[in-house]
PDB file of all heavy atoms in Angstrom:
ATOM      1  N   LEU Q   1     148.672 135.594 104.151  1.00 97.00           N
ATOM      2  CA  LEU Q   1     149.592 135.332 103.117  1.00 97.00           C
ATOM      3  C   LEU Q   1     148.973 135.304 101.729  1.00 97.00           C
ATOM      4  O   LEU Q   1     149.487 135.905 100.813  1.00 97.00           O
ATOM      5  CB  LEU Q   1     150.236 133.862 103.398  1.00 97.00           C
ATOM      6  CG  LEU Q   1     151.230 133.641 104.500  1.00 97.00           C
ATOM      7  CD1 LEU Q   1     151.547 132.328 104.633  1.00 97.00           C
ATOM      8  CD2 LEU Q   1     152.404 134.590 104.207  1.00 97.00           C
ATOM      9  N   TRP Q   2     147.708 134.844 101.743  1.00 96.00           N
ATOM     10  CA  TRP Q   2     146.961 134.814 100.403  1.00 96.00           C
ATOM     11  C   TRP Q   2     146.484 136.227  99.967  1.00 96.00           C
ATOM     12  O   TRP Q   2     146.630 136.725  98.851  1.00 96.00           O
ATOM     13  CB  TRP Q   2     145.702 133.945 100.516  1.00 96.00           C
ATOM     14  CG  TRP Q   2     144.990 133.816  99.218  1.00 96.00           C
ATOM     15  CD1 TRP Q   2     143.796 134.361  98.840  1.00 96.00           C
ATOM     16  CD2 TRP Q   2     145.342 133.175  98.027  1.00 96.00           C
ATOM     17  NE1 TRP Q   2     143.389 134.073  97.562  1.00 96.00           N
ATOM     18  CE2 TRP Q   2     144.360 133.295  97.050  1.00 96.00           C
ATOM     19  CE3 TRP Q   2     146.541 132.339  97.686  1.00 96.00           C
ATOM     20  CZ2 TRP Q   2     144.375 132.708  95.695  1.00 96.00           C
ATOM     21  CZ3 TRP Q   2     146.608 131.892  96.366  1.00 96.00           C
ATOM     22  CH2 TRP Q   2     145.573 132.062  95.482  1.00 96.00           C
ATOM     23  N   LEU Q   3     146.046 136.990 101.062  1.00 95.00           N
ATOM     24  CA  LEU Q   3     145.637 138.392 100.846  1.00 95.00           C
ATOM     25  C   LEU Q   3     146.806 139.163 100.315  1.00 95.00           C
ATOM     26  O   LEU Q   3     146.716 139.874  99.191  1.00 95.00           O
ATOM     27  CB  LEU Q   3     145.113 139.041 102.105  1.00 95.00           C
ATOM     28  CG  LEU Q   3     144.750 140.476 102.040  1.00 95.00           C
ATOM     29  CD1 LEU Q   3     143.592 140.647 101.046  1.00 95.00           C
ATOM     30  CD2 LEU Q   3     144.315 141.012 103.390  1.00 95.00           C
ATOM     31  N   GLY Q   4     147.935 139.040 100.919  1.00 96.00           N
ATOM     32  CA  GLY Q   4     149.211 139.845 100.419  1.00 96.00           C
ATOM     33  C   GLY Q   4     149.583 139.348  99.043  1.00 96.00           C
ATOM     34  O   GLY Q   4     149.958 140.306  98.259  1.00 96.00           O
ATOM     35  N   SER Q   5     149.458 138.145  98.694  1.00 95.00           N
ATOM     36  CA  SER Q   5     149.767 137.623  97.322  1.00 95.00           C
ATOM     37  C   SER Q   5     148.801 138.164  96.277  1.00 95.00           C
ATOM     38  O   SER Q   5     149.173 138.375  95.109  1.00 95.00           O
ATOM     39  CB  SER Q   5     149.987 136.155  97.275  1.00 95.00           C
ATOM     40  OG  SER Q   5     148.612 135.621  97.419  1.00 95.00           O
ATOM     41  N   ILE Q   6     147.586 138.485  96.715  1.00 93.00           N
ATOM     42  CA  ILE Q   6     146.587 138.871  95.751  1.00 93.00           C
ATOM     43  C   ILE Q   6     146.656 140.434  95.501  1.00 93.00           C
ATOM     44  O   ILE Q   6     146.636 140.907  94.366  1.00 93.00           O
ATOM     45  CB  ILE Q   6     145.203 138.508  96.215  1.00 93.00           C
ATOM     46  CG1 ILE Q   6     144.952 137.009  96.214  1.00 93.00           C
ATOM     47  CG2 ILE Q   6     144.095 139.210  95.342  1.00 93.00           C
ATOM     48  CD1 ILE Q   6     144.932 136.419  94.834  1.00 93.00           C
ATOM     49  N   VAL Q   7     146.726 141.128  96.613  1.00 92.00           N
ATOM     50  CA  VAL Q   7     146.694 142.619  96.565  1.00 92.00           C
ATOM     51  C   VAL Q   7     148.049 143.355  96.453  1.00 92.00           C
ATOM     52  O   VAL Q   7     148.150 144.430  96.036  1.00 92.00           O
ATOM     53  CB  VAL Q   7     145.885 143.274  97.710  1.00 92.00           C
ATOM     54  CG1 VAL Q   7     144.476 142.656  97.800  1.00 92.00           C
ATOM     55  CG2 VAL Q   7     146.684 143.068  98.999  1.00 92.00           C
ATOM     56  N   GLY Q   8     149.040 142.458  96.783  1.00 93.00           N
ATOM     57  CA  GLY Q   8     150.440 143.022  96.837  1.00 93.00           C
ATOM     58  C   GLY Q   8     150.811 143.378  98.145  1.00 93.00           C
ATOM     59  O   GLY Q   8     150.194 144.086  98.872  1.00 93.00           O
ATOM     60  N   TRP Q   9     152.111 143.119  98.447  1.00 93.00           N
ATOM     61  CA  TRP Q   9     152.766 143.357  99.744  1.00 93.00           C
ATOM     62  C   TRP Q   9     153.039 144.924  99.932  1.00 93.00           C
ATOM     63  O   TRP Q   9     153.320 145.234 101.025  1.00 93.00           O
ATOM     64  CB  TRP Q   9     153.856 142.584 100.007  1.00 93.00           C
ATOM     65  CG  TRP Q   9     153.532 141.064 100.190  1.00 93.00           C
ATOM     66  CD1 TRP Q   9     153.730 140.129  99.148  1.00 93.00           C
ATOM     67  CD2 TRP Q   9     152.921 140.528 101.211  1.00 93.00           C
ATOM     68  NE1 TRP Q   9     153.248 138.943  99.592  1.00 93.00           N
ATOM     69  CE2 TRP Q   9     152.780 139.056 100.886  1.00 93.00           C
ATOM     70  CE3 TRP Q   9     152.409 140.936 102.483  1.00 93.00           C
ATOM     71  CZ2 TRP Q   9     152.037 138.120 101.817  1.00 93.00           C
ATOM     72  CZ3 TRP Q   9     151.877 140.032 103.415  1.00 93.00           C
ATOM     73  CH2 TRP Q   9     151.664 138.677 103.043  1.00 93.00           C
ATOM     74  N   ASP Q  10     152.840 145.714  98.917  1.00 92.00           N
ATOM     75  CA  ASP Q  10     153.074 147.124  99.090  1.00 92.00           C
ATOM     76  C   ASP Q  10     151.947 147.792  99.663  1.00 92.00           C
ATOM     77  O   ASP Q  10     151.933 148.940 100.111  1.00 92.00           O
ATOM     78  CB  ASP Q  10     153.459 147.686  97.760  1.00 92.00           C
ATOM     79  CG  ASP Q  10     152.360 147.549  96.749  1.00 92.00           C
ATOM     80  OD1 ASP Q  10     151.804 146.463  96.731  1.00 92.00           O
ATOM     81  OD2 ASP Q  10     152.176 148.448  95.922  1.00 92.00           O
ATOM     82  N   LYS Q  11     150.767 146.939  99.777  1.00 93.00           N
ATOM     83  CA  LYS Q  11     149.435 147.356 100.357  1.00 93.00           C
ATOM     84  C   LYS Q  11     149.410 147.244 101.904  1.00 93.00           C
ATOM     85  O   LYS Q  11     150.242 146.378 102.354  1.00 93.00           O
ATOM     86  CB  LYS Q  11     148.220 146.819  99.642  1.00 93.00           C
ATOM     87  CG  LYS Q  11     148.263 146.960  98.141  1.00 93.00           C
ATOM     88  CD  LYS Q  11     147.975 148.341  97.835  1.00 93.00           C
ATOM     89  CE  LYS Q  11     147.618 148.497  96.292  1.00 93.00           C
ATOM     90  NZ  LYS Q  11     148.572 147.932  95.420  1.00 93.00           N
ATOM     91  N   PRO Q  12     148.549 147.859 102.545  1.00 92.00           N
ATOM     92  CA  PRO Q  12     148.397 147.785 104.064  1.00 92.00           C
ATOM     93  C   PRO Q  12     147.687 146.517 104.442  1.00 92.00           C
ATOM     94  O   PRO Q  12     146.666 146.467 104.892  1.00 92.00           O
ATOM     95  CB  PRO Q  12     147.727 149.044 104.483  1.00 92.00           C
ATOM     96  CG  PRO Q  12     146.897 149.365 103.263  1.00 92.00           C
ATOM     97  CD  PRO Q  12     147.677 148.985 102.103  1.00 92.00           C
ATOM     98  N   VAL Q  13     148.330 145.369 104.057  1.00 93.00           N
ATOM     99  CA  VAL Q  13     147.769 144.002 104.247  1.00 93.00           C
ATOM    100  C   VAL Q  13     147.240 143.818 105.769  1.00 93.00           C
ATOM    101  O   VAL Q  13     146.057 143.438 105.936  1.00 93.00           O
ATOM    102  CB  VAL Q  13     148.579 142.807 103.988  1.00 93.00           C
ATOM    103  CG1 VAL Q  13     148.172 141.510 104.270  1.00 93.00           C
ATOM    104  CG2 VAL Q  13     149.030 142.939 102.411  1.00 93.00           C
ATOM    105  N   LEU Q  14     148.048 144.174 106.773  1.00 93.00           N
ATOM    106  CA  LEU Q  14     147.622 143.901 108.163  1.00 93.00           C
ATOM    107  C   LEU Q  14     146.526 144.852 108.518  1.00 93.00           C
ATOM    108  O   LEU Q  14     145.571 144.537 109.286  1.00 93.00           O
ATOM    109  CB  LEU Q  14     148.818 144.237 109.196  1.00 93.00           C
ATOM    110  CG  LEU Q  14     149.959 143.228 108.932  1.00 93.00           C
ATOM    111  CD1 LEU Q  14     151.097 143.564 110.001  1.00 93.00           C
ATOM    112  CD2 LEU Q  14     149.485 141.764 109.292  1.00 93.00           C
ATOM    113  N   GLU Q  15     146.452 146.074 107.987  1.00 92.00           N
ATOM    114  CA  GLU Q  15     145.366 146.975 108.213  1.00 92.00           C
ATOM    115  C   GLU Q  15     144.094 146.513 107.643  1.00 92.00           C
ATOM    116  O   GLU Q  15     142.996 146.887 108.162  1.00 92.00           O
ATOM    117  CB  GLU Q  15     145.762 148.461 107.727  1.00 92.00           C
ATOM    118  CG  GLU Q  15     146.779 149.248 108.613  1.00 92.00           C
ATOM    119  CD  GLU Q  15     148.190 148.747 108.352  1.00 92.00           C
ATOM    120  OE1 GLU Q  15     148.415 147.869 107.388  1.00 92.00           O
ATOM    121  OE2 GLU Q  15     149.064 149.268 108.922  1.00 92.00           O
ATOM    122  N   TRP Q  16     144.128 145.867 106.563  1.00 90.00           N
ATOM    123  CA  TRP Q  16     142.942 145.360 105.930  1.00 90.00           C
ATOM    124  C   TRP Q  16     142.427 143.977 106.420  1.00 90.00           C
ATOM    125  O   TRP Q  16     141.272 143.715 106.510  1.00 90.00           O
ATOM    126  CB  TRP Q  16     143.267 145.103 104.405  1.00 90.00           C
ATOM    127  CG  TRP Q  16     143.280 146.438 103.700  1.00 90.00           C
ATOM    128  CD1 TRP Q  16     143.155 147.707 104.145  1.00 90.00           C
ATOM    129  CD2 TRP Q  16     143.809 146.588 102.316  1.00 90.00           C
ATOM    130  NE1 TRP Q  16     143.399 148.737 103.206  1.00 90.00           N
ATOM    131  CE2 TRP Q  16     143.826 148.013 102.026  1.00 90.00           C
ATOM    132  CE3 TRP Q  16     144.152 145.787 101.316  1.00 90.00           C
ATOM    133  CZ2 TRP Q  16     144.120 148.544 100.781  1.00 90.00           C
ATOM    134  CZ3 TRP Q  16     144.614 146.282 100.152  1.00 90.00           C
ATOM    135  CH2 TRP Q  16     144.500 147.658  99.843  1.00 90.00           C
ATOM    136  N   GLY Q  17     143.389 143.071 106.668  1.00 91.00           N
ATOM    137  CA  GLY Q  17     143.085 141.670 107.037  1.00 91.00           C
ATOM    138  C   GLY Q  17     143.365 141.221 108.338  1.00 91.00           C
ATOM    139  O   GLY Q  17     143.188 140.035 108.680  1.00 91.00           O
ATOM    140  N   PHE Q  18     143.832 142.106 109.333  1.00 92.00           N
ATOM    141  CA  PHE Q  18     144.286 141.608 110.607  1.00 92.00           C
ATOM    142  C   PHE Q  18     143.785 142.463 111.757  1.00 92.00           C
ATOM    143  O   PHE Q  18     142.929 142.121 112.582  1.00 92.00           O
ATOM    144  CB  PHE Q  18     145.785 141.354 110.624  1.00 92.00           C
ATOM    145  CG  PHE Q  18     146.351 140.913 111.977  1.00 92.00           C
ATOM    146  CD1 PHE Q  18     145.912 139.586 112.413  1.00 92.00           C
ATOM    147  CD2 PHE Q  18     147.216 141.582 112.753  1.00 92.00           C
ATOM    148  CE1 PHE Q  18     146.403 139.166 113.651  1.00 92.00           C
ATOM    149  CE2 PHE Q  18     147.648 141.139 113.972  1.00 92.00           C
ATOM    150  CZ  PHE Q  18     147.260 139.967 114.408  1.00 92.00           C
ATOM    151  N   TYR Q  19     144.336 143.743 111.809  1.00 91.00           N
ATOM    152  CA  TYR Q  19     144.063 144.651 112.821  1.00 91.00           C
ATOM    153  C   TYR Q  19     142.417 144.770 113.098  1.00 91.00           C
ATOM    154  O   TYR Q  19     142.047 144.858 114.238  1.00 91.00           O
ATOM    155  CB  TYR Q  19     144.702 146.037 112.635  1.00 91.00           C
ATOM    156  CG  TYR Q  19     146.273 145.912 112.671  1.00 91.00           C
ATOM    157  CD1 TYR Q  19     146.936 146.708 111.802  1.00 91.00           C
ATOM    158  CD2 TYR Q  19     146.838 145.024 113.461  1.00 91.00           C
ATOM    159  CE1 TYR Q  19     148.371 146.705 111.766  1.00 91.00           C
ATOM    160  CE2 TYR Q  19     148.323 144.874 113.477  1.00 91.00           C
ATOM    161  CZ  TYR Q  19     148.934 145.859 112.535  1.00 91.00           C
ATOM    162  OH  TYR Q  19     150.354 145.664 112.609  1.00 91.00           O
ATOM    163  N   PRO Q  20     141.680 144.973 112.077  1.00 89.00           N
ATOM    164  CA  PRO Q  20     140.232 145.307 112.349  1.00 89.00           C
ATOM    165  C   PRO Q  20     139.473 144.117 113.033  1.00 89.00           C
ATOM    166  O   PRO Q  20     138.492 144.409 113.598  1.00 89.00           O
ATOM    167  CB  PRO Q  20     139.640 145.581 110.929  1.00 89.00           C
ATOM    168  CG  PRO Q  20     140.890 145.876 110.095  1.00 89.00           C
ATOM    169  CD  PRO Q  20     141.973 145.030 110.696  1.00 89.00           C
ATOM    170  N   PHE Q  21     140.009 142.942 113.000  1.00 89.00           N
ATOM    171  CA  PHE Q  21     139.409 141.828 113.596  1.00 89.00           C
ATOM    172  C   PHE Q  21     139.808 141.462 114.954  1.00 89.00           C
ATOM    173  O   PHE Q  21     139.229 140.414 115.471  1.00 89.00           O
ATOM    174  CB  PHE Q  21     139.552 140.540 112.600  1.00 89.00           C
ATOM    175  CG  PHE Q  21     139.084 140.813 111.204  1.00 89.00           C
ATOM    176  CD1 PHE Q  21     140.034 141.181 110.213  1.00 89.00           C
ATOM    177  CD2 PHE Q  21     137.821 140.917 110.855  1.00 89.00           C
ATOM    178  CE1 PHE Q  21     139.712 141.391 108.911  1.00 89.00           C
ATOM    179  CE2 PHE Q  21     137.390 141.113 109.505  1.00 89.00           C
ATOM    180  CZ  PHE Q  21     138.336 141.508 108.563  1.00 89.00           C
ATOM    181  N   LEU Q  22     140.898 142.067 115.426  1.00 91.00           N
ATOM    182  CA  LEU Q  22     141.489 141.637 116.681  1.00 91.00           C
ATOM    183  C   LEU Q  22     140.478 141.647 117.911  1.00 91.00           C
ATOM    184  O   LEU Q  22     140.370 140.727 118.714  1.00 91.00           O
ATOM    185  CB  LEU Q  22     142.748 142.319 116.962  1.00 91.00           C
ATOM    186  CG  LEU Q  22     143.963 142.008 116.127  1.00 91.00           C
ATOM    187  CD1 LEU Q  22     145.146 142.820 116.437  1.00 91.00           C
ATOM    188  CD2 LEU Q  22     144.325 140.523 116.330  1.00 91.00           C
ATOM    189  N   ALA Q  23     139.834 142.812 118.043  1.00 88.00           N
ATOM    190  CA  ALA Q  23     138.890 143.042 119.166  1.00 88.00           C
ATOM    191  C   ALA Q  23     137.883 141.983 119.061  1.00 88.00           C
ATOM    192  O   ALA Q  23     137.523 141.424 120.166  1.00 88.00           O
ATOM    193  CB  ALA Q  23     138.425 144.422 119.197  1.00 88.00           C
ATOM    194  N   GLY Q  24     137.193 141.834 117.969  1.00 88.00           N
ATOM    195  CA  GLY Q  24     136.106 140.909 117.933  1.00 88.00           C
ATOM    196  C   GLY Q  24     136.533 139.380 118.211  1.00 88.00           C
ATOM    197  O   GLY Q  24     135.870 138.722 118.828  1.00 88.00           O
ATOM    198  N   ASP Q  25     137.727 139.144 117.682  1.00 91.00           N
ATOM    199  CA  ASP Q  25     138.257 137.792 117.831  1.00 91.00           C
ATOM    200  C   ASP Q  25     138.623 137.582 119.271  1.00 91.00           C
ATOM    201  O   ASP Q  25     138.503 136.420 119.800  1.00 91.00           O
ATOM    202  CB  ASP Q  25     139.378 137.500 116.908  1.00 91.00           C
ATOM    203  CG  ASP Q  25     138.904 137.116 115.644  1.00 91.00           C
ATOM    204  OD1 ASP Q  25     137.698 136.958 115.304  1.00 91.00           O
ATOM    205  OD2 ASP Q  25     139.750 137.210 114.577  1.00 91.00           O
ATOM    206  N   ALA Q  26     139.113 138.601 119.902  1.00 93.00           N
ATOM    207  CA  ALA Q  26     139.418 138.355 121.412  1.00 93.00           C
ATOM    208  C   ALA Q  26     138.137 138.159 122.160  1.00 93.00           C
ATOM    209  O   ALA Q  26     138.176 137.359 123.088  1.00 93.00           O
ATOM    210  CB  ALA Q  26     140.206 139.723 121.869  1.00 93.00           C
ATOM    211  N   LEU Q  27     137.045 138.834 121.883  1.00 91.00           N
ATOM    212  CA  LEU Q  27     135.807 138.565 122.543  1.00 91.00           C
ATOM    213  C   LEU Q  27     135.278 137.124 122.281  1.00 91.00           C
ATOM    214  O   LEU Q  27     134.853 136.482 123.153  1.00 91.00           O
ATOM    215  CB  LEU Q  27     134.748 139.594 122.052  1.00 91.00           C
ATOM    216  CG  LEU Q  27     133.273 139.380 122.578  1.00 91.00           C
ATOM    217  CD1 LEU Q  27     133.302 139.513 123.975  1.00 91.00           C
ATOM    218  CD2 LEU Q  27     132.423 140.473 121.921  1.00 91.00           C
ATOM    219  N   LYS Q  28     135.444 136.710 120.964  1.00 92.00           N
ATOM    220  CA  LYS Q  28     134.947 135.336 120.646  1.00 92.00           C
ATOM    221  C   LYS Q  28     135.765 134.352 121.394  1.00 92.00           C
ATOM    222  O   LYS Q  28     135.313 133.348 121.782  1.00 92.00           O
ATOM    223  CB  LYS Q  28     135.007 135.153 119.150  1.00 92.00           C
ATOM    224  CG  LYS Q  28     133.848 135.863 118.443  1.00 92.00           C
ATOM    225  CD  LYS Q  28     133.882 135.789 117.031  1.00 92.00           C
ATOM    226  CE  LYS Q  28     134.673 136.781 116.231  1.00 92.00           C
ATOM    227  NZ  LYS Q  28     134.671 136.819 114.825  1.00 92.00           N
ATOM    228  N   LEU Q  29     137.087 134.545 121.523  1.00 94.00           N
ATOM    229  CA  LEU Q  29     137.905 133.619 122.234  1.00 94.00           C
ATOM    230  C   LEU Q  29     137.582 133.577 123.756  1.00 94.00           C
ATOM    231  O   LEU Q  29     137.555 132.402 124.174  1.00 94.00           O
ATOM    232  CB  LEU Q  29     139.488 134.151 122.109  1.00 94.00           C
ATOM    233  CG  LEU Q  29     140.587 133.333 122.689  1.00 94.00           C
ATOM    234  CD1 LEU Q  29     141.827 133.505 121.962  1.00 94.00           C
ATOM    235  CD2 LEU Q  29     140.794 133.634 124.223  1.00 94.00           C
ATOM    236  N   LEU Q  30     137.210 134.640 124.244  1.00 94.00           N
ATOM    237  CA  LEU Q  30     136.856 134.652 125.641  1.00 94.00           C
ATOM    238  C   LEU Q  30     135.412 133.892 125.781  1.00 94.00           C
ATOM    239  O   LEU Q  30     135.412 133.064 126.766  1.00 94.00           O
ATOM    240  CB  LEU Q  30     136.622 136.081 126.062  1.00 94.00           C
ATOM    241  CG  LEU Q  30     136.154 136.234 127.530  1.00 94.00           C
ATOM    242  CD1 LEU Q  30     137.041 135.608 128.575  1.00 94.00           C
ATOM    243  CD2 LEU Q  30     135.767 137.742 127.891  1.00 94.00           C
ATOM    244  N   LEU Q  31     134.514 134.142 124.917  1.00 93.00           N
ATOM    245  CA  LEU Q  31     133.284 133.327 124.955  1.00 93.00           C
ATOM    246  C   LEU Q  31     133.526 131.821 124.804  1.00 93.00           C
ATOM    247  O   LEU Q  31     132.931 131.103 125.627  1.00 93.00           O
ATOM    248  CB  LEU Q  31     132.355 133.887 123.857  1.00 93.00           C
ATOM    249  CG  LEU Q  31     131.695 135.286 124.002  1.00 93.00           C
ATOM    250  CD1 LEU Q  31     131.008 135.610 122.673  1.00 93.00           C
ATOM    251  CD2 LEU Q  31     130.733 135.304 125.213  1.00 93.00           C
ATOM    252  N   ALA Q  32     134.227 131.468 123.951  1.00 94.00           N
ATOM    253  CA  ALA Q  32     134.505 130.013 123.697  1.00 94.00           C
ATOM    254  C   ALA Q  32     135.193 129.352 124.970  1.00 94.00           C
ATOM    255  O   ALA Q  32     134.906 128.263 125.411  1.00 94.00           O
ATOM    256  CB  ALA Q  32     135.303 129.791 122.497  1.00 94.00           C
ATOM    257  N   SER Q  33     136.140 130.164 125.551  1.00 94.00           N
ATOM    258  CA  SER Q  33     136.918 129.667 126.620  1.00 94.00           C
ATOM    259  C   SER Q  33     136.046 129.464 127.824  1.00 94.00           C
ATOM    260  O   SER Q  33     136.346 128.725 128.740  1.00 94.00           O
ATOM    261  CB  SER Q  33     138.187 130.566 126.855  1.00 94.00           C
ATOM    262  OG  SER Q  33     138.938 130.824 125.859  1.00 94.00           O
ATOM    263  N   LEU Q  34     135.039 130.260 127.951  1.00 95.00           N
ATOM    264  CA  LEU Q  34     134.113 130.145 129.104  1.00 95.00           C
ATOM    265  C   LEU Q  34     132.990 128.979 128.764  1.00 95.00           C
ATOM    266  O   LEU Q  34     132.595 128.267 129.736  1.00 95.00           O
ATOM    267  CB  LEU Q  34     133.348 131.483 129.364  1.00 95.00           C
ATOM    268  CG  LEU Q  34     134.262 132.573 129.856  1.00 95.00           C
ATOM    269  CD1 LEU Q  34     133.486 133.988 130.024  1.00 95.00           C
ATOM    270  CD2 LEU Q  34     134.913 132.305 131.294  1.00 95.00           C
ATOM    271  N   MET Q  35     132.602 129.064 127.577  1.00 95.00           N
ATOM    272  CA  MET Q  35     131.429 128.128 127.175  1.00 95.00           C
ATOM    273  C   MET Q  35     131.794 126.719 127.298  1.00 95.00           C
ATOM    274  O   MET Q  35     130.977 125.892 127.952  1.00 95.00           O
ATOM    275  CB  MET Q  35     130.850 128.425 125.802  1.00 95.00           C
ATOM    276  CG  MET Q  35     130.186 129.792 125.695  1.00 95.00           C
ATOM    277  SD  MET Q  35     130.004 130.394 123.959  1.00 95.00           S
ATOM    278  CE  MET Q  35     129.264 128.862 123.267  1.00 95.00           C
ATOM    279  N   VAL Q  36     132.823 126.298 126.597  1.00 96.00           N
ATOM    280  CA  VAL Q  36     133.039 124.830 126.541  1.00 96.00           C
ATOM    281  C   VAL Q  36     133.456 124.085 127.708  1.00 96.00           C
ATOM    282  O   VAL Q  36     132.934 123.057 128.121  1.00 96.00           O
ATOM    283  CB  VAL Q  36     134.105 124.559 125.380  1.00 96.00           C
ATOM    284  CG1 VAL Q  36     134.451 123.048 125.128  1.00 96.00           C
ATOM    285  CG2 VAL Q  36     133.628 125.104 123.935  1.00 96.00           C
ATOM    286  N   PRO Q  37     134.425 124.777 128.572  1.00 96.00           N
ATOM    287  CA  PRO Q  37     134.674 124.181 129.987  1.00 96.00           C
ATOM    288  C   PRO Q  37     133.317 124.108 130.744  1.00 96.00           C
ATOM    289  O   PRO Q  37     133.162 123.218 131.606  1.00 96.00           O
ATOM    290  CB  PRO Q  37     135.669 125.015 130.533  1.00 96.00           C
ATOM    291  CG  PRO Q  37     136.411 125.648 129.384  1.00 96.00           C
ATOM    292  CD  PRO Q  37     135.330 125.825 128.278  1.00 96.00           C
ATOM    293  N   ALA Q  38     132.456 125.050 130.643  1.00 95.00           N
ATOM    294  CA  ALA Q  38     131.210 125.029 131.412  1.00 95.00           C
ATOM    295  C   ALA Q  38     130.352 123.868 130.950  1.00 95.00           C
ATOM    296  O   ALA Q  38     129.705 123.237 131.744  1.00 95.00           O
ATOM    297  CB  ALA Q  38     130.416 126.348 131.198  1.00 95.00           C
ATOM    298  N   VAL Q  39     130.311 123.523 129.665  1.00 95.00           N
ATOM    299  CA  VAL Q  39     129.624 122.403 129.191  1.00 95.00           C
ATOM    300  C   VAL Q  39     130.168 121.123 129.803  1.00 95.00           C
ATOM    301  O   VAL Q  39     129.418 120.187 130.188  1.00 95.00           O
ATOM    302  CB  VAL Q  39     129.575 122.293 127.621  1.00 95.00           C
ATOM    303  CG1 VAL Q  39     129.074 120.952 127.094  1.00 95.00           C
ATOM    304  CG2 VAL Q  39     128.795 123.530 127.034  1.00 95.00           C
ATOM    305  N   TRP Q  40     131.465 121.061 129.821  1.00 95.00           N
ATOM    306  CA  TRP Q  40     132.074 119.815 130.428  1.00 95.00           C
ATOM    307  C   TRP Q  40     131.767 119.729 131.857  1.00 95.00           C
ATOM    308  O   TRP Q  40     131.616 118.607 132.382  1.00 95.00           O
ATOM    309  CB  TRP Q  40     133.629 119.861 130.193  1.00 95.00           C
ATOM    310  CG  TRP Q  40     134.087 119.292 128.926  1.00 95.00           C
ATOM    311  CD1 TRP Q  40     134.693 120.086 128.007  1.00 95.00           C
ATOM    312  CD2 TRP Q  40     133.771 118.134 128.276  1.00 95.00           C
ATOM    313  NE1 TRP Q  40     134.846 119.329 126.881  1.00 95.00           N
ATOM    314  CE2 TRP Q  40     134.379 118.013 127.052  1.00 95.00           C
ATOM    315  CE3 TRP Q  40     133.168 116.909 128.773  1.00 95.00           C
ATOM    316  CZ2 TRP Q  40     134.245 117.055 126.192  1.00 95.00           C
ATOM    317  CZ3 TRP Q  40     133.074 115.884 128.061  1.00 95.00           C
ATOM    318  CH2 TRP Q  40     133.548 115.844 126.718  1.00 95.00           C
ATOM    319  N   ARG Q  41     131.656 120.901 132.663  1.00 94.00           N
ATOM    320  CA  ARG Q  41     131.338 120.860 133.979  1.00 94.00           C
ATOM    321  C   ARG Q  41     129.931 120.343 134.222  1.00 94.00           C
ATOM    322  O   ARG Q  41     129.493 119.460 135.115  1.00 94.00           O
ATOM    323  CB  ARG Q  41     131.454 122.181 134.664  1.00 94.00           C
ATOM    324  CG  ARG Q  41     132.931 122.545 134.947  1.00 94.00           C
ATOM    325  CD  ARG Q  41     133.056 123.734 135.830  1.00 94.00           C
ATOM    326  NE  ARG Q  41     132.539 124.953 135.320  1.00 94.00           N
ATOM    327  CZ  ARG Q  41     133.129 125.861 134.534  1.00 94.00           C
ATOM    328  NH1 ARG Q  41     134.342 125.577 134.227  1.00 94.00           N
ATOM    329  NH2 ARG Q  41     132.536 126.846 134.056  1.00 94.00           N
ATOM    330  N   LEU Q  42     129.045 120.822 133.419  1.00 93.00           N
ATOM    331  CA  LEU Q  42     127.558 120.216 133.397  1.00 93.00           C
ATOM    332  C   LEU Q  42     127.499 118.783 133.060  1.00 93.00           C
ATOM    333  O   LEU Q  42     126.890 118.075 133.666  1.00 93.00           O
ATOM    334  CB  LEU Q  42     126.757 121.158 132.323  1.00 93.00           C
ATOM    335  CG  LEU Q  42     126.466 122.540 132.750  1.00 93.00           C
ATOM    336  CD1 LEU Q  42     125.761 123.229 131.558  1.00 93.00           C
ATOM    337  CD2 LEU Q  42     125.616 122.492 133.905  1.00 93.00           C
ATOM    338  N   LEU Q  43     128.225 118.373 132.071  1.00 90.00           N
ATOM    339  CA  LEU Q  43     128.304 116.877 131.681  1.00 90.00           C
ATOM    340  C   LEU Q  43     128.821 116.053 132.890  1.00 90.00           C
ATOM    341  O   LEU Q  43     128.375 114.898 133.114  1.00 90.00           O
ATOM    342  CB  LEU Q  43     129.133 116.729 130.394  1.00 90.00           C
ATOM    343  CG  LEU Q  43     128.444 117.218 129.161  1.00 90.00           C
ATOM    344  CD1 LEU Q  43     129.437 117.147 127.977  1.00 90.00           C
ATOM    345  CD2 LEU Q  43     127.211 116.475 128.909  1.00 90.00           C
TER     346      LEU Q  43
END
């Protein structure tokens, strides 16, 4: 929302601020989802 208000909604906001990060964020989500429950099992 902030990016679009700064650069203008006529620009490719999703291409700049969303799509490029999806693969990396999916990997980080997977890592966190495995790590934290594993810590609880150890505890």
